[in-house]
DNA sequence: GCTATAGATGAATTAAACTCATCTATAAGT
DNA sequence: ACTTATAGATGAGTTTAATTCATCTATAGC
C-alpha cells in the first residue's frame, strides 16, 4: 500500500471537522502534522482533496468521496475495537444463586482489589441472553460437562452453626437440611453415600429440603439444624467462623461447577477471572 | 487512539491468510514485524486474537470478530483509494466529433508524450453515462455556459485547400460549406456577420450544409470548395499546410467550448489536461 | 491598517516500525 | 527415534517515517 493509514486517519478527521486545527486536537497532534499528512496524501494520490481558500478549507468532490469511505471504514473498525476494550475492562458472570451468594459476591471486592483494572459484574437467574463476553458458571453433572470445562468437582459434608456441640447421631433427633434440585436431571446430593462412609443411619434424621443449597446453609447458620451441602459453598463460612464441621468425612459427588467452552474466553480479564475462580474454589 | 492502524492492518492480513508469513509477504514485511504487531495489539486490547498451536495459528472468537470488522473497514477504504488512483492515472474525455477528430485525436500522442504517466481516452457521441471522472467538453452558447467553465470562445473564418488560388468572390460561383447544428437551440455560425466585416455579398456563394463542421472541413481539404468554420478546428491544419486561409478577417461568434463545472475536477491529471487543452486551443 | 488565526513549508528531532540474530516448538522426512 | 526444515516468539539494534519547531503567507475581524 502506498498511502499511509495515519495520513488517512488525519484526513478523515480533518474532513469530518472541516479544520486541520480541530483534527490536530482530536488526534493529539499539531496542525502541522495534519497539513503534512494531507499534502502527502494528495501528492501520492495525485488529487486535490481540499480547496484552500486562504485560511479556510473545504472538501473537493474527490475529497468528499474519500471522506465518506474513510469515515465509514474507520467507524467499523473503531466500534469493533471499542466492544473488545469494553469487554476487556470487566467480566460479567452469571451463575446459580448459591454460588453467587456464598462465594462470588463475598469475594467480589477482593477480586477487584487484586485486579484494579477489571470490574466484576455478577448476575443470577434465567437471563439466557446469549450476550457476548458473558461468562456462565453452570452447576451440573460431571458426566455431562466437558472435562476441560470443569472448575470444581463438588464434595458434600454436613455443617452446623459455629459453636454448637457435636451432634450425637444415634441418640437425638436431628434436623438436616438438604437440597432437591429443581432440575430433575441433576444427580441428587450424595446423602446415602455420606451416611455409609461415616457409618451412620438415617433413623434419627429428619430431612428438610429446599431447591437451593443457599437456604439450607442459612438455616444451619441460624442454628435451626444441620445442613448437608457442598464444601465449596461453605469453605469461606468455615474460615469466617460462621459454620463449623464435625468429625464426619466429606463425600464426593457427581456434581460440579463448569464453564461451557471455558477455553473460548480470550479476553485477559476473563482468563484472569477464571484462574482466580479455580484458585479460590480449589484452594 | 491507542492501537496502531498498522498493527490492525497486519492483523487483518494475518487473519485473512491464517499465517504470519503470508501476511508478511503481502505487506512486504518480515514475519517478525507481523508477530510484533499482533502481540502489541493483543497486549493493548488485553485479549488473545490467535491461538498458537505450535507453529500453526488459528483465530480466537474475539479475533474472528475483529477480523471481520477490520477486513470490511479496510476494504471500504481501499476500494475508494483504488477508484481515485485509477482516475488519477488517466483522463477520459468525451466531446463532439469535430473537436475530437480535428484537435484531440491528432494531439493525443503529443499529450501522452508530455505526460508519460497520464493516459488519455477520447470518446464521442451520446454516451451520457454520468460516470465519475469523465470530462465532457461541450460545444454551446457562451450565454448558457458559466464563464469560468469556458475554455475557448469560437471565431469563424473561411478556409480552402492548401495551394489553391485566392477566390475572387465577385466574379465566380463559389461553393461554401457551412454547418447547421442538429441542436436548434445553438446559435448559427455567424456567416452574415463575416460577409459584412469582409465587405462581401452572398450572390455568388452556393451554400452547402452539414450537421458537423468536420465534414465541411474535409470537403474543403479535398478541394471541393471552401469551408466556413471555427478557427479552433483549423488551426492545426493550417500549420500542417493542409488548409489555407485568405485575406479575410475572422469573426467572433456566440459559440464556445466549455467544461461544465470545470473547477470540480480535482485530479491532477484532469487539471493538467484542462490546462494543456486551454493552451493548445488559445495559443 | 493592525492584530490574531489557520494553514504552508522546510529542517531538525523524536518515536515507531522494522530487521537481524537467536531461540523454541512443531511437522515432515529418513 | 533422530534429523531437518519451517513458523513463530523474543529482545536488541537500526532505519524509516511521523511529528514538532521555527518561520512565513494569507485571510478575517477589529
Amino acid at each position: 500500500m502506498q498511502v499511509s493509514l495515519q495520513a488517512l486517519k488525519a484526513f478523515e478527521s480533518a474532513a469530518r471537522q472541516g479544520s486541520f486545527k480541530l483534527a490536530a486536537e482530536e488526534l493529539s497532534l499539531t496542525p502541522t502534522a495534519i497539513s503534512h499528512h494531507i499534502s502527502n496524501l494528495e501528492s501520492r494520490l495525485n488529487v486535490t482533496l481540499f480547496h484552500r481558500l486562504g485560511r479556510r478549507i473545504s472538501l473537493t468532490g474527490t475529497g468528499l468521496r474519500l471522506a465518506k469511505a474513510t469515515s465509514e471504514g474507520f467507524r467499523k473498525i473503531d466500534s469493533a475495537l471499542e466492544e473488545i476494550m469494553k469487554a476487556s475492562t470487566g467480566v460479567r458472570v452469571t451463575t446459580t444463586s448459591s454460588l453467587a451468594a456464598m462465594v462470588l459476591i463475598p469475594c467480589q471486592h477482593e477480586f477487584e482489589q487484586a485486579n484494579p483494572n477489571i470490574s466484576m459484574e455478577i448476575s443470577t437467574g434465567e437471563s439466557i441472553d446469549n450476550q457476548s463476553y458473558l461468562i456462565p458458571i453452570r452447576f451440573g453433572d460431571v458426566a455431562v460437562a466437558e472435562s476441560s470445562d470443569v472448575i470444581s468437582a463438588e464434595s458434600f459434608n454436613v455443617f452446623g452453626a459455629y459453636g454448637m456441640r457435636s451432634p450425637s447421631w444415634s441418640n437425638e433427633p436431628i434436623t438436616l437440611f438438604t437440597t432437591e434440585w429443581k432440575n430433575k436431571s441433576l444427580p441428587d446430593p450424595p446423602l446415602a453415600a455420606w451416611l455409609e462412609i461415616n457409618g451412620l443411619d438415617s433413623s434419627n434424621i429428619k430431612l428438610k429440603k429446599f431447591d437451593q443449597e443457599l437456604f439450607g446453609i442459612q438455616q444451619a447458620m441460624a442454628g435451626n439444624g444441620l445442613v448437608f451441602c457442598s464444601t465449596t459453598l461453605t469453605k469461606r463460612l468455615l474460615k469466617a467462623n460462621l459454620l463449623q464441621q464435625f468429625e464426619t468425612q466429606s463425600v464426593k459427588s457427581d456434581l460440579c461447577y463448569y464453564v461451557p467452552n471455558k477455553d473460548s474466553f480470550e479476553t485477559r480479564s476473563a482468563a484472569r477471572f477464571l484462574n482466580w475462580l479455580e484458585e479460590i474454589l480449589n484452594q
Side-chain angles (χ1 to χ4, degrees), chain A:
Chain A
M1 155 106 53
Q2 43 198 330
V3 306
S4 117
L5 285 164
Q6 326 231 35
L8 285 171
K9 194 86 185 137
F11 166 74
E12 190 275 331
S13 177
R16 179 162 32 77
Q17 309 204 72
S19 155
F20 288 11
K21 187 175 183 285
L22 294 181
E25 279 166 20
E26 181 174 270
L27 302 175
S28 310
L29 296 176
T30 57
T32 312
I34 308 294
S35 173
H36 279 306
H37 271 312
I38 285 170
S39 61
N40 172 24
L41 207 51
E42 289 181 318
S43 67
R44 275 184 204 265
L45 294 177
N46 256 292
V47 295
T48 306
L49 297 170
F50 286 104
H51 288 129
R52 272 74 162 183
L53 317 157
R55 75 193 224 193
R56 188 157 296 172
I57 56 168
S58 72
L59 278 172
T60 64
T62 309
L64 186 61
R65 250 169 292 186
L66 184 61
K68 276 182 186 158
T70 50
S71 285
E72 247 191 273
F74 284 129
R75 198 194 44 70
K76 250 198 167 59
I77 294 169
D78 285 343
S79 66
L81 287 175
E82 212 169 287
E83 196 199 339
I84 291 175
M85 306 264 272
K86 211 171 74 187
S88 73
T89 58
V91 288
R92 302 178 49 229
V93 198
T94 181
T95 189
T96 62
S97 307
S98 297
L99 189 72
M102 298 284 103
V103 181
L104 291 183
I105 291 172
C107 293
Q108 180 172 24
H109 187 64
E110 179 197 309
F111 176 80
E112 291 185 342
Q113 289 281 354
N115 301 279
N117 50 352
I118 306 178
S119 74
M120 176 172 168
E121 189 185 313
I122 301 164
S123 62
T124 65
E126 295 302 321
S127 67
I128 326 178
D129 51 29
N130 203 349
Q131 276 183 271
S132 56
Y133 302 113
L134 179 65
I135 305 173
I137 305 172
R138 301 251 168 84
F139 185 61
D141 192 335
V142 282
V144 169
E146 285 290 325
S147 65
S148 59
D149 290 343
V150 173
I151 4 182
S152 168
E154 294 302 277
S155 290
F156 280 69
N157 205 346
V158 163
F159 306 90
Y162 184 74
M164 75 181 281
R165 61 175 174 77
S166 200
S168 63
W169 298 94
S170 41
N171 300 332
E172 54 184 352
I174 288 174
T175 300
L176 184 62
F177 297 101
T178 180
T179 315
E180 186 168 69
W181 319 115
K182 236 185 285 184
N183 178 352
K184 300 297 183 193
S185 66
L186 287 182
D188 284 325
L191 183 55
W194 180 84
L195 288 169
E196 189 178 348
I197 268 187
N198 290 284
L200 303 173
D201 72 87
S202 57
S203 53
N204 279 328
I205 297 176
K206 185 178 171 199
L207 283 183
K208 291 200 177 174
K209 294 181 177 178
F210 293 109
D211 63 352
Q212 292 176 32
E213 293 178 281
L214 172 58
F215 299 136
I217 294 171
Q218 288 174 341
Q219 291 290 329
M221 280 196 286
N224 299 332
L226 302 176
V227 63
F228 179 68
C229 68
S230 100
T231 57
T232 295
L233 298 180
T234 53
K235 200 170 288 170
R236 193 186 128 271
L237 298 169
L238 292 177
K239 267 198 187 147
N241 290 338
L242 292 166
L243 278 185
Q244 66 170 322
Q245 56 189 351
F246 311 103
E247 301 80 28
T248 55
Q249 296 281 326
S250 71
V251 64
K252 289 185 180 170
S253 76
D254 292 333
L255 293 156
C256 70
Y257 286 102
Y258 68 100
V259 176
N261 299 103
K262 179 155 74 88
D263 295 331
S264 76
F265 291 90
E266 298 94 7
T267 71
R268 301 279 155 88
S269 309
R272 179 159 305 176
F273 168 76
L274 289 169
N275 281 337
W276 170 85
L277 184 63
E278 289 200 54
E279 216 170 85
I280 65 164
L281 294 191
N282 298 315
Q283 73 195 342

